[in-house]
Amino acid sequence: MPAHLPLLAPSEGAVCCGTVTGSVISVEDAERTARVFKALGDPTRVRLLSLIAASADGEACICDLTEPVGLSQPTVSHHMKQLVDAGLATREQRGRWAYYRVVTDALGAASQTLRP
Amino acid sequence: MPAHLPLLAPSEGAVCCGTVTGSVISVEDAERTARVFKALGDPTRVRLLSLIAASADGEACICDLTEPVGLSQPTVSHHMKQLVDAGLATREQRGRWAYYRVVTDALGAASQTLRP
């Protein structure tokens, strides 16, 4: 039996909304929703989000992210750009380094989209 | 501040578990999690799930899915295989046609993984 989900408002730049199992999702909402899940559809990006969320104050320097995922800084930057573009993380340049935070509201909105 | 999420048990063939924002997710859990989100990371697949969930009795014949998404049956079959392989849908062959259902528990598990 299809469950009904609330329609979600975009928040903090998150491009996620619409319902997956409520009523039939529109093409536009399906595109927005898929964009977020595509960003989450890579194990390195899932680990990066997790590492950032688990960091002190919920913020991580890119300089501390390369070693745990075993990838070069340009590769980590590329993954982080996809997360930022999907509204799942924010980036702040401070001096030499970029610092990232998870957009908890965007994860929450994506979570809501799937809730049965 | 990182939120804490419960560790999820796999359910009904869903390959989703682990936590994204609780503690640092393991490589294995990140791979399982990403596999599910990769399947969700395509607008056609999001629409197919939505169409199936909204169908009578929560079940849809592939013969009723091609027209709404405007794609050929082999292409829809290919998308559905990715959803089935990710544990997000089940497939039953009855005579000439395949019938699909959404695995609500798997969507729920994926939703939990992201919950702030």
Side-chain angles (χ1 to χ4, degrees):
Chain A
M1 186 182 302
H4 289 265
L5 302 178
L7 193 71
L8 298 167
S11 63
E12 291 191 25
V15 283
C16 184
C17 47
T19 65
V20 171
T21 61
S23 52
V24 177
I25 197 167
S26 71
V27 172
E28 294 72 24
D29 279 351
E31 281 168 2
R32 279 189 286 266
T33 299
R35 205 173 301 139
V36 172
F37 289 127
K38 190 172 182 183
L40 291 166
D42 177 278
T44 297
R45 292 196 288 275
V46 169
R47 291 207 79 215
L48 287 169
L49 278 183
S50 181
L51 287 160
I52 296 164
S55 299
D57 293 326
E59 184 181 76
C61 172
I62 191 160
C63 55
D64 293 322
L65 293 171
T66 51
E67 188 272 330
V69 296
L71 294 169
S72 70
Q73 197 177 305
T75 302
V76 172
S77 277
H78 178 72
H79 281 302
M80 286 309 308
K81 183 175 188 316
Q82 291 176 265
L83 290 168
V84 170
D85 287 350
L88 293 164
T90 58
R91 177 189 190 280
E92 195 188 323
Q93 186 78 31
R94 293 210 294 271
R96 179 178 171 189
W97 303 114
Y99 290 79
Y100 297 97
R101 289 182 171 276
V102 173
V103 180
T104 311
D105 283 0
L107 280 185
S111 169
Q112 281 288 109
T113 308
L114 298 178
R115 207 170 60 177
Chain B
M1 188 183 301
H4 288 264
L5 302 177
L7 193 69
L8 298 167
S11 65
E12 292 191 26
V15 281
C16 184
C17 47
T19 64
V20 171
T21 60
S23 53
V24 177
I25 198 168
S26 71
V27 172
E28 294 73 24
D29 280 352
E31 280 169 3
R32 279 189 286 266
T33 301
R35 205 174 300 138
V36 172
F37 290 126
K38 190 173 182 183
L40 291 165
D42 177 279
T44 297
R45 292 196 287 276
V46 169
R47 289 207 80 215
L48 286 169
L49 278 183
S50 181
L51 286 161
I52 296 164
S55 299
D57 293 326
E59 184 180 76
C61 173
I62 191 161
C63 55
D64 293 322
L65 293 171
T66 52
E67 188 272 332
V69 295
L71 294 169
S72 70
Q73 196 177 305
T75 303
V76 173
S77 277
H78 177 72
H79 280 302
M80 286 310 306
K81 183 175 188 315
Q82 291 176 265
L83 290 168
V84 170
D85 287 350
L88 293 165
T90 58
R91 177 189 191 279
E92 194 187 324
Q93 186 78 30
R94 292 210 294 273
R96 180 178 172 191
W97 303 113
Y99 290 79
Y100 296 97
R101 289 182 172 276
V102 173
V103 179
T104 311
D105 283 0
L107 281 185
S111 168
Q112 282 287 111
T113 308
L114 298 177
R115 208 169 59 178

